Amino acid sequence: MTATVLLENVYKLYNNVPVVNDLSFNIEAGEIFALLGPNGAGKSTTIRMLTTLTKPSQGRMEVAGYDVVRQPMLAKRNIGVVLQQISVDGDLSVWENMELHGRLHHIANPERQRLINQWLEYVELVDRRDSLVKTLSGGMKRRLQIARALLHQPQILFLDEPTVGLDPQTRRRLWEIIRDLNKQGMTMLLTTHYMDEVEFLCDAFGSAKPGRIGIMDAGKLISLGTLKQLRSVHGEGLVTKQLSVTEPGNDSSRGWEYLFFPTLEEANNYLNQQPNKTGMMVRPSNLEDIFVELTGRQLN
Ligand code: ADP
């Protein structure tokens, strides 16, 4: 497998402060990769650099084999981008938005019409093709953004916080679309601060090729791997203990002590040995536990 997204010692400084700080990772062709982190971690800045919207201060970045800084046009031709802000034109119809994008990418007719129909069908917006975009729901606008991003048949799709601000049903529908696209072979990088999003998209219920998760905090990549790998590194079993206000060591804001164990069985054994089990519980660790353990902070 070849790396199709590559970052090597990438920095982005604003006012001399690094908001992306020595970031390095690769994404393989066909892989789904989630950058997870709290607000301000540097996720959007990373996507903006990879999609040529802002230049890195230092470091090397490639998409689809093209250097993002030196070959931005070639890089752009091979990527689709869905940004956090709704970037479709509300005063144009669904079809007009697609048509405009197709023309900007010099896709000739009849191929352009074929692709517009194909992708509008895929995101189930064919019956709204003549509606003005400003009359669509948030979820429909997001689906239109995805259809538009796919129109020029990119190799890699970048999604910045794709489900932020959407209701649970709409989020789930988008997850299905994202997962299906990945199953069809689309390489994807998405950013999110939602645990459930990452668990759904990257775990894929024990699929043969689960996605990888990069946990970012304060501009740095602090952990990288599949959910299974992260749980195996940090511990699959967890004992949680509620700390009383007066207890020494209760210096964390969460009010809980987390003890990781390699397996759930070992966590259970530990609990069984405790003379006083008040406020203690055993459960399998999850991504949020790992994040809190790594950063000492809650994600949301
Ligand atoms: P995330 O997507 O993880 O929430 P961002 O990449 O949006 O994080 O932001 C990372 C940091 O960079 C934040 O502290 C943000 O305020 C800062 N930042 C982002 N864009 C700019 C900009 N254009 N000028 C100055 N600071 C910026």
Side-chain angles (χ1 to χ4, degrees):
M1 281 286 204
T2 47
T4 195
V5 176
L6 183 150
L7 293 91
E8 232 173 60
N9 309 111
V10 173
Y11 290 80
K12 179 71 184 181
L13 278 67
Y14 285 120
N15 306 319
N16 288 324
V17 178
V19 300
V20 170
N21 193 345
D22 197 16
L23 195 60
S24 301
F25 63 88
N26 291 345
I27 304 178
E28 307 293 336
E31 189 176 22
I32 184 162
F33 188 102
L35 264 186
L36 177 75
N39 285 329
K43 306 179 301 291
S44 295
T45 306
T46 303
I47 280 213
R48 291 176 61 79
M49 288 191 288
L50 281 167
T51 55
T52 77
L53 296 172
T54 187
K55 286 202 169 116
S57 308
Q58 203 182 311
R60 191 159 80 96
M61 296 184 121
E62 277 181 22
V63 293
Y66 298 108
D67 187 292
V68 170
V69 177
R70 285 183 290 125
Q71 301 165 294
M73 291 310 289
L74 287 167
K76 267 197 272 197
R77 213 173 280 170
N78 289 284
I79 61 174
V81 188
V82 178
L83 292 176
Q84 227 179 96
Q85 307 81 8
I86 299 289
S87 54
V88 278
D89 191 328
D91 290 323
L92 298 181
S93 70
V94 166
W95 178 81
E96 284 166 340
N97 268 281
M98 295 293 279
E99 174 72 5
L100 180 63
H101 186 82
R103 287 184 186 214
L104 287 172
H105 277 272
H106 307 291
I107 308 168
N109 272 335
E111 178 72 348
R112 189 167 72 236
Q113 300 315 309
R114 188 188 68 76
L115 287 169
I116 290 175
N117 282 326
Q118 176 190 314
W119 289 116
L120 286 184
E121 240 167 60
Y122 183 71
V123 300
E124 295 173 49
L125 281 176
V126 172
D127 56 341
R128 302 301 299 261
R129 58 178 280 141
D130 297 322
S131 305
L132 289 185
V133 166
K134 61 184 171 196
T135 67
L136 302 183
S137 68
M140 287 175 181
K141 284 182 191 152
R142 193 69 72 180
R143 269 156 37 212
L144 175 58
Q145 279 181 285
I146 293 176
R148 192 184 60 172
L150 294 166
L151 190 62
H152 57 286
Q153 299 177 290
Q155 292 181 39
I156 309 159
L157 187 62
F158 292 91
L159 300 146
D160 192 11
E161 301 269 4
T163 67
V164 80
L166 300 176
D167 64 74
Q169 265 170 312
T170 310
R171 292 180 68 212
R172 194 153 273 272
R173 181 120 180 254
L174 281 168
W175 290 354
E176 301 285 357
I177 290 176
I178 293 169
R179 202 165 67 180
D180 185 62
L181 279 169
N182 177 245
K183 273 194 188 149
Q184 291 178 39
M186 178 68 72
T187 309
M188 293 182 152
L189 170 64
L190 74 120
T191 71
T192 184
H193 61 270
Y194 297 125
M195 293 295 163
D196 52 352
E197 190 149 298
V198 174
E199 284 176 340
F200 184 93
L201 293 172
C202 291
D203 192 29
F205 311 119
S207 91
K209 202 169 179 292
R212 280 185 305 152
I213 304 158
I215 301 183
M216 258 186 109
D217 192 31
K220 282 191 170 290
L221 195 65
I222 56 172
S223 204
L224 176 67
T226 61
L227 185 56
K228 203 169 161 206
Q229 286 166 345
L230 294 182
R231 288 189 62 224
S232 137
V233 166
H234 296 279
E236 289 172 11
L238 185 71
V239 175
T240 62
K241 184 182 174 199
Q242 190 159 24
L243 298 172
S244 69
V245 186
T246 52
E247 195 151 349
N250 186 8
D251 51 357
S252 71
S253 56
R254 64 191 187 209
W256 291 82
E257 187 182 5
Y258 285 22
L259 294 169
F260 283 82
F261 292 86
T263 61
L264 199 57
E265 194 187 349
E266 284 167 79
N268 271 315
N269 289 344
Y270 172 85
L271 184 69
N272 289 335
Q273 284 160 15
Q274 301 309 303
N276 179 4
K277 302 179 180 63
T278 317
M280 295 175 87
M281 249 173 48
V282 170
R283 60 175 172 79
S285 66
N286 61 35
L287 198 52
E288 180 146 22
D289 302 324
I290 293 167
F291 183 85
V292 173
E293 179 67 11
L294 285 169
T295 66
R297 289 191 286 126
Q298 302 286 346
L299 210 88
N300 291 313

